[in-house]
Amino acid sequence: MNRWLTRRWPALHWPSIRGRGRTDAGPLLLTAAVIAAVTLLAGAVPALLRAAADDAVQETVRRAGHDSNVLVHANWERDDGPTGGRVRMPRLAEELDDFRAQATYALGPDLDAALLPPVAAVNGPVLNITGGSLPRTFQFTYLAGDLGGPDVTWIAGSPPGPTVSDEYVETPYDGPPWPVQVGLSEEDATALDLGPGDRIPVRDGQGRDKDIRVSGIYRPADSADPAWLLAPALLRPVAGADGVGITRFAGLLSRESLPDARLAIDEDQLRRTVHFTPAPDALSWDATAALASQVVKLKAASGSSSDRGQTLKWESQLDTALRDARTRNSAAFAQAAVLLTGVLTATALVLLLAADLLVRRRTPVLSAARQRGAALPDLGAELIIESTVVSLSAAAVGLTLARAAAPGVSWTWAVPVVLAGAVAGPAFGTLAAARASRDRRQPANPAARRWIRATGQLRRAAVEAAALIAAVAAFVTLHQRGLLPVASDGDTAELTGDLILPISALTLGALVGALVLLRLLPLGARFALRGALRSRRPLAVFGAAQAATTAGRALPLLVLVSTTALASFALILGTTVTRGLDDGAWSTVGADARLDVGADAEAATPALAERIAAAPGVGQVVVAQVTDSARVFTESTLLTPRLVIVDAAAFQRLLATTPLPDAPALARLTAPGPGPGPGPGDVPALVRSSDGNLRTGTQLQLPRDGAPAIRLAAVGTAPSVGGVDDVVIVDAEALADAGLPAVPNTVWVTGPGASRAMSNTGVAADVVLRTDVLRAQRVAPLTAGLLRLAWTAAAVLLALGLLGLTLAAAAGASERWQTLTRLRTLGLRPRDARWVAAGELLPPVVVVAVCGPPLGTLLARLTLGPLDLRLLTGQATEPAAVLPWWLLGLVSVALLAAAAAVVPVESALRRRDRLSEVLRAGE
């Protein structure tokens, strides 16, 4: 009770605090500089990554193009009349407005805010223009947004009007063609040589003539209006939209002529759709989960395609694009967290080393204060105040700079650095003061001394075992769980507590490697000392003795090994990602160039491929039918893999001449070899699956319309096609023999002239160039950010390692040169003293230079797989570790050069030491 009553606040001696700060201003400023620099990095990186994540979400949606649009379809109300005919509905435009408003309301406020105002489009069938020597098609379209359709200026004639003025008109089903008025753009009218009042000669697919009349000629007020993207033929003729050499024209309907357009064609041929285009600038990473969930709910509640009612039918790939972006962002944050954890751990070790150096300088002062009666709590409080002021001031400077360099700042990652800087110095200083006043004596009993020594060894073994167990648990968790957070709807997919252990696997592995070297280095030093004692070289004996004396210092070796291994890992990570981007571009495109032919022009693909093959500089040309989400059945499961129907021999030659992995199993599609083969009537296929549902030996069925399904037999593993994991590859000739001829829609081209050969195909097709894909991947926000972080982390870790080497040398400089100066009184020359000093400093550095990069390489091979780098590189599988030997060698050379430079610098600084002071140092 008296103990609690006598407890008091620490009595601080402010002159001592100020005096120690002025005396040791250099080490304190060094500590502050380290804290400020690392705090700048730790505070800016998360904010920069979050901004990059937002940019990545927006870029993903932009790259998805029309696939990310949210589309709503609905059937019209039937127009059956009471007398067996079709009734003209004059309020058809108002019904379309109601349909657009209904669809907008169903979106919900969050999804509505992320989308641009809707545009309703009504499209008729594609009609053939008769007459003329060139094939041409025509389609009439009505566009309407919340403020009406896109603005146009009528330069001739007038807007389309109604055919009749009566409110109620019923026309028989087999009556004459119902006239409908449309407007033509200036370019369409010129190309067709038509004017107001002329009739467009068109027929439908059944050869029936249609009565379509030109009411006027218009000029768009803004040709960049997004509404025109839904029907580009309304602005100008579009070549290749319906096949090679076929030009599409379009006519613009008005609210008044829309009812006539429905009567002019069959009842179910006029399709209405509301288009919602995402606003990329309104999207952010935080909102991806909620938006994707809302899109999924809309599609789940959507009516079926066979429903003849007016229920809403939703269609969109926006949820897929958002989920992909979300997954990549989460992977990038986890990868950055791995690097930041390594940097922060290395910084904490360097701060411990700097605190150790500071305490060594202050030990006489602290001991004197303790001997004069200063209480340990008082000394501890004084040291805590000093270190806290230094750490918080430096952290404030670092965070301020981070806020200036980044769109935000994250203080969470800076906390470990500030704590290490604030606690290390007071802890070491209090221990040093306690040892100075401790009256505990070394026992004279050998058994007691052995007991003390065994107790220390057990404590050290316990710490090492705990570190080893933590590292093993971290690596097991990393490989079994991975780094991607398990996010639920509405979650921001931030790093959660369950990721702390796998994220720390790399750092724990580096620390365990350092502890192993810490065990081996004293053994090696003692072995070298025994060898030196048998030699006749006194310098070798002195150097080995000094090295054996200091080999057991744990902190310097932990700093050097961890920083070197982690810097090597960062270099390997950056090199692997850089190489993986190139391989990912090959995997995404499949060749130097790829042509994705539109559905309307697939019939012209073979002729187009022959024309490309004849172009100069073209190596190989392979055509294939690539169908995404094809329906393939196993015995009890419906699968939707990518179905590739291709000439197996040509595809195998293509893979053999590119950096893509070879696929010898393709030969089994035409000449089945050893292994499981197809049964009678089965078509051999190669399969690839990410979840194991498709594997060799699986029996598949490929359904056909109006015919029995084709049986497929999986005879081998398929290569990845376009970076997709779920793939089924079938030989085109074998499938044609089974009754399903291929309709090619993809052309792969290799050779230096591939891009030039595809520059002007004349068909509606998308050209994908490998160089463009590689360039886009390199400048992608997340990829560029991770690469910059990897190179920055490597540089920071190397700088921390060099700083740690300097601090370690400075911490032992006084004792080292005191011993060497005494040896000089026995005849040791200054040059020999430098050699002895080098013999003490170089062995641990040489060990680190030799073992550090291999340790980083081992850690890279253990951790790169679960890091999910393929999500950033675009590869189908995880990239193999690429070792930049010259960079790893540069790390080792930098350490050796720094160690070699320390000796002459110390010799020059110690040259003025007086021999009398050295000889009296022990008095």
Side-chain angles (χ1 to χ4, degrees):
M1 180 65 68
N2 294 333
R3 180 181 176 185
W4 288 98
L5 292 176
T6 57
R7 180 168 291 184
R8 61 178 178 82
W9 289 99
L12 304 179
H13 190 251
W14 294 104
S16 297
I17 297 175
R18 292 191 294 269
R20 283 193 294 266
R22 286 193 298 265
T23 303
D24 300 318
L28 292 176
L29 288 176
L30 177 62
T31 301
V34 172
I35 294 175
V38 178
T39 302
L40 168 61
L41 179 65
V45 165
L48 291 174
L49 276 180
R50 176 167 290 281
D54 292 341
D55 294 340
V57 171
Q58 298 168 9
E59 181 63 25
T60 300
V61 173
R62 289 192 185 98
R63 191 167 54 248
H66 293 294
D67 291 339
S68 65
N69 290 356
V70 180
L71 309 182
V72 193
H73 311 281
N75 296 322
W76 297 98
E77 180 185 357
R78 295 188 61 85
D79 59 0
D80 298 325
T83 61
R86 297 178 62 190
V87 176
R88 184 180 185 273
M89 297 182 174
R91 297 183 56 82
L92 210 60
E94 287 78 2
E95 291 184 17
L96 185 64
D97 294 338
D98 295 339
F99 168 49
R100 186 178 64 249
Q102 180 186 4
T104 303
Y105 177 79
L107 290 176
D110 294 338
L111 187 57
D112 187 21
L115 302 175
L116 296 174
V119 176
V122 179
N123 293 307
V126 177
L127 307 173
N128 296 317
I129 299 178
T130 61
S133 58
L134 297 177
R136 297 172 295 179
T137 58
F138 182 84
Q139 183 182 42
F140 48 71
T141 300
Y142 173 71
L143 299 175
D146 291 339
L147 302 177
D151 295 333
V152 297
T153 301
W154 296 95
I155 60 177
S158 61
T163 301
V164 296
S165 58
D166 297 338
E167 285 292 329
Y168 181 83
V169 175
E170 183 176 353
T171 178
Y173 279 99
D174 55 354
W178 187 268
V180 57
Q181 296 183 19
V182 299
L184 291 180
S185 68
E186 193 174 7
E187 295 186 28
D188 282 1
T190 302
L192 292 174
D193 194 18
L194 295 176
D198 293 338
R199 180 174 175 178
I200 305 176
V202 293
R203 291 178 181 173
D204 62 9
Q206 299 178 0
R208 297 175 297 185
D209 292 330
K210 299 299 179 182
D211 188 1
I212 301 179
R213 303 172 183 178
V214 180
S215 67
I217 311 299
Y218 64 85
R219 181 182 298 160
D222 181 11
S223 58
D225 192 320
W228 297 116
L229 297 177
L230 304 179
L234 288 174
L235 295 178
R236 63 187 61 86
V238 178
D242 300 305
V244 179
I246 302 177
T247 303
R248 177 183 292 184
F249 297 83
L252 181 64
L253 296 171
S254 65
R255 298 177 66 89
E256 292 75 15
S257 64
L258 181 61
D260 300 316
R262 189 178 186 193
L263 291 180
I265 55 179
D266 293 342
E267 183 179 14
D268 57 351
Q269 288 184 322
L270 193 68
R271 301 179 302 275
R272 60 174 178 171
T273 304
V274 176
H275 297 255
F276 294 93
T277 303
D281 295 337
L283 299 175
S284 64
W285 181 36
D286 295 336
T288 53
L291 295 180
S293 176
Q294 181 63 19
V295 174
V296 171
K297 290 178 181 178
L298 290 175
K299 293 196 294 185
S302 177
S304 66
S305 58
S306 60
D307 185 5
R308 302 299 300 173
Q310 301 183 51
T311 57
L312 302 183
K313 303 175 183 65
W314 296 87
E315 175 188 351
S316 178
Q317 294 298 321
L318 178 61
D319 56 326
T320 303
L322 293 178
R323 281 197 301 269
D324 292 344
R326 180 183 178 83
T327 303
R328 285 193 295 270
N329 291 345
S330 300
F333 264 78
Q335 294 154 6
V338 170
L339 292 173
L340 281 179
T341 301
V343 172
L344 297 183
T345 303
T347 304
L349 292 175
V350 170
L351 291 176
L352 291 176
L353 195 56
D356 179 65
L357 172 61
L358 181 61
V359 170
R360 286 173 181 267
R361 292 165 54 99
R362 289 180 169 180
T363 297
V365 177
L366 296 175
S367 301
R370 179 62 175 158
Q371 292 169 0
R372 288 196 300 265
L376 288 179
D378 298 341
L379 287 177
E382 292 175 0
L383 296 176
I384 286 176
I385 290 176
E386 177 189 73
S387 62
T388 302
V389 170
V390 172
S391 300
L392 292 180
S393 301
V397 172
L399 293 177
T400 302
L401 295 176
R403 184 62 184 87
V409 65
S410 174
W411 58 268
T412 306
W413 286 94
V415 171
V417 179
V418 177
L419 287 179
V423 174
F428 287 167
T430 304
L431 289 176
R435 292 192 190 100
S437 59
R438 186 172 58 185
D439 56 358
R440 182 179 178 181
R441 302 192 180 193
Q442 184 72 14
N445 187 359
R449 290 198 298 269
R450 286 194 301 269
W451 176 266
I452 294 175
R453 185 165 56 250
T455 302
Q457 292 174 351
L458 286 175
R459 290 173 179 172
R460 177 179 177 180
V463 173
E464 293 173 345
L468 179 60
I469 293 173
V472 172
F475 277 103
V476 171
T477 307
L478 176 65
H479 282 268
Q480 290 187 348
R481 186 206 179 284
L483 287 177
L484 293 180
V486 181
S488 59
D489 293 344
D491 190 10
T492 60
E494 291 278 6
L495 300 178
T496 53
D498 58 333
L499 289 175
I500 293 178
L501 191 59
I503 284 175
S504 306
L506 172 67
T507 303
L508 291 174
L511 293 177
V512 169
L515 292 176
V516 172
L517 289 179
L518 186 60
R519 280 284 187 180
L520 298 177
L521 186 59
L523 299 178
R526 287 195 293 268
F527 178 79
L529 178 58
R530 284 195 294 268
L533 290 174
R534 291 192 294 269
S535 69
R536 297 183 178 180
R537 299 177 179 177
L539 294 182
V541 175
F542 294 151
Q546 289 286 92
T549 303
T550 59
R553 293 182 60 191
L555 202 52
L557 194 64
L558 286 176
V559 171
L560 291 177
V561 175
S562 60
T563 54
T564 305
L566 293 174
S568 300
F569 173 83
L571 293 175
I572 295 173
L573 176 64
T575 307
T576 301
V577 171
T578 302
R579 178 72 60 83
L581 291 175
D582 186 64
D583 295 340
W586 277 104
S587 176
T588 301
V589 180
D592 287 311
R594 188 185 75 232
L595 190 68
D596 297 328
V597 183
D600 297 331
E602 291 177 350
T605 304
L608 179 62
E610 293 180 359
R611 192 174 68 192
I612 294 175
V618 173
Q620 295 192 51
V621 177
V622 178
V623 298
Q625 178 181 342
V626 179
T627 305
D628 290 326
S629 301
R631 301 178 67 211
V632 177
F633 292 89
T634 61
E635 295 180 355
S636 59
T637 308
L638 170 63
L639 304 176
T640 56
R642 170 173 288 184
L643 177 63
V644 180
I645 306 174
V646 65
D647 183 348
F651 192 47
Q652 188 174 11
R653 290 193 300 270
L654 174 71
L655 296 180
T657 55
T658 63
L660 294 170
D662 295 334
L666 285 169
R668 300 182 185 178
L669 298 182
T670 54
D682 293 348
V683 177
L686 300 183
V687 296
R688 182 185 187 91
S689 176
S690 58
D691 54 9
N693 288 330
L694 292 174
R695 53 185 177 272
T696 303
T698 304
Q699 297 295 320
L700 306 173
Q701 289 187 351
L702 183 63
R704 291 185 294 173
D705 294 334
I710 297 177
R711 293 181 302 173
L712 306 178
V715 298
T717 302
S720 175
V721 178
V724 177
D725 290 331
D726 299 332
V727 178
V728 175
I729 300 180
V730 185
D731 181 66
E733 184 177 354
L735 196 62
D737 294 339
L740 184 60
V743 181
N745 59 1
T746 301
V747 182
W748 289 297
V749 183
T750 63
S755 59
R756 186 169 57 255
M758 290 190 173
S759 59
N760 186 16
T761 60
V763 298
D766 294 329
V767 178
V768 183
L769 301 179
R770 182 182 58 83
T771 54
D772 293 343
V773 172
L774 179 59
R775 188 181 305 109
Q777 289 177 342
R778 284 177 176 172
V779 300
L782 288 177
T783 305
L786 180 64
L787 283 175
R788 284 194 293 266
L789 178 60
W791 304 130
T792 302
V796 171
L797 287 167
L798 180 58
L800 290 174
L802 297 177
L803 178 60
L805 173 61
T806 305
L807 292 175
S814 178
E815 297 176 358
R816 178 169 54 253
W817 287 97
Q818 185 179 22
T819 302
L820 293 177
T821 306
R822 289 174 177 174
L823 289 176
R824 285 179 58 190
T825 63
L826 303 178
L828 192 68
R829 294 175 297 179
R831 184 179 63 181
D832 297 336
R834 289 194 292 270
W835 279 109
V836 174
E840 176 185 348
L841 291 174
L842 284 179
V845 178
V846 171
V847 170
V848 172
V850 172
C851 299
L855 177 60
T857 301
L858 175 62
L859 294 175
R861 295 193 180 278
L862 291 176
T863 57
L864 283 184
L867 287 184
D868 293 313
L869 294 176
R870 63 181 177 84
L871 296 176
L872 299 184
T873 60
Q875 296 171 272
T877 58
E878 294 298 331
V882 180
L883 305 181
W885 291 112
W886 70 276
L887 290 176
L888 300 181
L890 187 62
V891 172
S892 299
V893 170
L895 287 176
L896 294 174
V902 165
V903 176
V905 172
E906 282 189 351
S907 177
L909 294 176
R910 297 287 174 174
R911 186 176 302 172
R912 298 181 180 179
D913 289 352
R914 296 182 180 181
L915 184 59
S916 59
E917 296 177 356
V918 174
L919 294 178
R920 291 196 303 268
E923 296 179 358

